Amino acid sequence: MSTILDVRNLSVRFGPSVILKDLSFEVAAGTTLAVIGPNGAGKTVLFRALIGAIPFDGQVQWAEGVRVGYVPQKLDIERDVPITGHDFLQARVRIGRSDASAASAVARSVGLSIDAWRTPIGELSGGQFQRLLVAFALLGDPTVLLLDEPTAGVDEPGQEQLNELVHRLQHERGLTVVLISHELTVVSKYANRVLCLGRATAHLGLPAEVLTPEALQEIYGTPVAFHSHDH
Amino acid sequence: MPLDALLLAVVTAAAAGLVGCFAVMRRMALASDAISHVALPGIGLALIFNVHPLLGALVALVAGVLLIWKLDEETRIPTDTIIGVVFSAALAVGSMMTPQEELVGLLLGRSRPISTLEIVFSLLAAFRVVTFILRERHRLVVSLVSPDMARTSGVNVRRLNLGYLLMFALTVALGLRHLGVLLMGSLIIIPAATARRLATHLSQMLTLSAVIAIVTTVTGFALAARIHQEPGPVIVTLAAAVFALTFLRRRA
């Protein structure tokens, strides 16, 4: 399987503090890499380095022709900002100069409701808002999806639907998925490989190797209750 | 009422209404008010060196927005604090540099004859601002929701921010004549804040904001002539009154 992302000796510093140090990993095309770790371990910083939003040392090499769809961590949008789901998706269509009907087709495929189309995005429920962000990312016809805690702030049934949605899209479109998640059950269910970022160390491996009580305790610093299920 | 002054005030209002929408949505309402203050030392210097005050104002405004842009992009210093300090200082220094008899007019705006050069500059500048906002509104929307999503959509966020701030500076320069350095920020913010309360989607907000700015400007000029006041304070009072009226209407 070809490598779609090759990260070598990635380091990120904010002033004197080192957020990421000498991180190296590869992602194979069409697979799912889950990034886990405690808060402050630099998961979001890693994503921002991957999309070139912050300066870093080392190398981030995407394969030729890669298009990245980025779904950021829960955004804080004021309720009364008059930007509707339609405005937001239409903006992406106009930026990409794609077909105007693309927005409604993608909105249907992620299960965005008609209401969400007309509602200011700050008033959308957690689940509808995340679907809107996924729809936005899909409008760029991505080959890779970067998802930063896509189910944070979403109720339980909604979380499962979103995870299923991402899995289905990955299957339909042959996407590579890199996912930040705190849901270890989800990680063990969907990820091919897991990158576990600790404050001092990083582990990369198969879910069965990384999601062991000993490894998790080392990374999180406290015992983490997690039982993996065989499937 | 001099027609050329009214025409310029109307195109200025259109530009202010449109630019203001993104200022209030980007939560830079207070910053935008402060930015206009930096024009005063520019005008003061222009008067000392005997060049057109508008040129001095424009140079100072561009320097001001470049400072904000640099700070925002390259440092982690809270922009609010810097703006509060630098731009208030600019107002203080500027008021010492300006002849006392000119000061009130520069702060609050004053009717005075307009040169052909000023008319041409203002029409071109207003046209530039309006076309920028209308053409870039999609990029501006995405980058205000999430700069990172904008980046991965191929938007050069840094350049877009700079472009927007320059249009902001240009808009302030347009209104200095009749609104002064203290009131111009209000014409950018108040109609947009009003439109934000009433609108349900983006193009409605842009349209409403421009219309409210234009209507309050024209009404303000007419009313000012009747009650023998300078138009600037009357326009801003009217705009604030319209904003207050929106509280009578509950959003559906």
Side-chain angles (χ1 to χ4, degrees):
Chain A
M1 215 177 287
S2 64
T3 301
I4 201 162
L5 170 63
D6 186 6
V7 176
R8 291 271 157 257
N9 305 109
L10 175 71
S11 296
V12 178
R13 288 179 188 79
F14 289 149
S17 48
V18 178
I19 311 293
L20 295 172
K21 192 158 181 278
D22 273 337
L23 187 63
S24 297
F25 61 93
E26 289 181 5
V27 182
T31 62
T32 299
L33 172 74
V35 181
I36 64 170
N39 291 330
K43 304 185 294 295
T44 297
V45 169
L46 168 65
F47 268 26
R48 301 198 69 222
L50 294 182
I51 63 168
I54 48 171
F56 57 83
D57 294 321
Q59 181 194 315
V60 171
Q61 185 72 52
W62 291 100
E64 199 133 325
V66 159
R67 288 179 302 275
V68 174
Y70 176 62
V71 178
Q73 215 172 63
K74 196 175 180 325
L75 296 167
D76 179 27
I77 311 288
E78 289 169 70
R79 291 179 68 85
D80 64 339
V81 168
I83 295 173
T84 60
H86 175 256
D87 287 332
F88 188 56
L89 293 184
Q90 210 57 45
R92 180 64 186 91
V93 166
R94 294 296 181 86
I95 290 171
R97 297 192 175 80
S98 32
D99 188 4
S101 63
S104 42
V106 164
R108 265 197 306 279
S109 82
V110 302
L112 201 65
S113 69
I114 296 293
D115 269 354
W117 201 241
R118 292 187 295 250
T119 308
I121 56 177
E123 290 181 14
L124 291 176
S125 70
Q128 286 290 315
F129 188 70
Q130 291 305 114
R131 281 168 197 268
L132 179 71
L133 297 188
V134 172
F136 183 96
L138 290 178
L139 279 172
D141 194 18
T143 49
V144 177
L145 273 187
L146 296 185
L147 305 165
D148 191 345
E149 293 190 38
T151 57
V154 179
D155 59 20
E156 201 118 339
Q159 289 185 8
E160 208 171 307
Q161 288 168 8
L162 263 172
N163 290 324
E164 283 299 327
L165 168 68
V166 170
H167 193 63
R168 173 170 63 80
L169 291 169
Q170 177 174 31
H171 185 70
E172 284 171 5
R173 297 173 172 238
L175 297 172
T176 306
V177 173
V178 185
L179 162 87
I180 294 176
S181 179
H182 283 296
E183 307 291 326
L184 300 182
T185 330
V186 173
V187 170
S188 80
K189 187 171 173 191
Y190 295 110
N192 303 93
R193 305 236 283 165
V194 179
L195 173 65
C196 194
L197 287 183
R199 288 202 174 81
T201 51
H203 295 290
L204 178 68
L206 299 169
E209 296 163 3
V210 177
L211 300 176
T212 62
E214 300 76 33
L216 291 173
Q217 173 156 7
E218 190 192 329
I219 294 289
Y220 283 89
T222 52
V224 177
F226 170 70
H227 310 284
S228 82
H229 309 278
D230 294 324
H231 29 245
Chain B
M1 190 183 346
L3 268 183
D4 51 357
L6 185 64
L7 172 69
L8 289 197
V10 166
V11 297
T12 301
L18 293 179
V19 162
C21 287
F22 289 96
V24 299
M25 288 194 288
R26 289 165 151 229
R27 306 179 205 186
M28 52 180 278
L30 273 176
S32 0
D33 200 35
I35 291 170
S36 60
H37 298 171
V38 84
L40 193 62
I43 298 172
L45 279 177
L47 291 173
I48 292 170
F49 291 106
N50 213 8
V51 293
H52 200 294
L54 193 57
L55 184 65
L58 199 57
V59 170
L61 284 164
V62 169
V65 299
L66 284 178
L67 174 75
I68 291 181
W69 180 68
K70 273 277 173 201
L71 287 174
D72 213 37
E73 298 282 333
E74 284 171 20
T75 70
R76 313 196 115 240
I77 309 168
T79 326
D80 277 14
T81 317
I82 300 290
I83 290 173
V85 175
V86 173
F87 291 80
S88 311
L91 190 64
V93 173
S95 62
M96 289 190 284
M97 291 160 59
T98 320
Q100 288 305 304
E101 63 277 14
E102 300 263 0
L103 193 56
V104 173
L106 290 175
L107 290 177
L108 303 174
R110 184 162 57 194
S111 321
R112 56 172 173 76
I114 309 168
S115 64
T116 317
L117 185 69
E118 210 176 326
I119 293 179
V120 173
F121 163 80
S122 303
L123 289 177
L124 287 176
F127 180 74
R128 184 73 193 88
V129 172
V130 170
T131 50
F132 176 89
I133 297 295
L134 294 182
R135 216 184 46 216
E136 300 295 333
R137 66 185 190 282
H138 301 299
R139 287 181 182 80
L140 288 166
V141 159
V142 176
S143 75
L144 93 87
V145 172
S146 162
D148 286 341
M149 291 184 95
R151 269 182 207 105
T152 49
S153 309
V155 176
N156 184 336
V157 176
R158 223 172 112 80
R159 209 172 63 193
L160 182 70
N161 283 340
L162 179 62
Y164 175 77
L165 286 169
L166 287 173
M167 291 305 124
F168 194 98
L170 209 50
T171 308
V172 172
L174 277 170
L176 289 178
R177 202 184 46 75
H178 65 291
L179 289 159
V181 300
L182 288 185
L183 294 178
M184 184 51 200
S186 318
L187 188 70
I188 295 179
I189 296 308
I190 300 175
T194 312
R196 174 176 170 165
R197 289 185 53 78
L198 299 174
T200 53
H201 56 89
L202 180 70
S203 50
Q204 193 179 45
M205 178 175 179
L206 291 166
T207 314
L208 267 175
S209 178
V211 167
I212 292 168
I214 292 171
V215 170
T216 47
T217 295
V218 174
T219 322
F221 262 87
L223 190 61
R226 270 177 165 260
I227 61 174
H228 308 293
Q229 289 278 345
E230 290 294 342
V234 180
I235 292 169
V236 172
T237 309
L238 278 176
V242 175
F243 178 74
L245 281 179
T246 62
F247 284 89
L248 297 178
R249 176 188 178 277
R250 294 197 77 82
R251 259 180 78 170

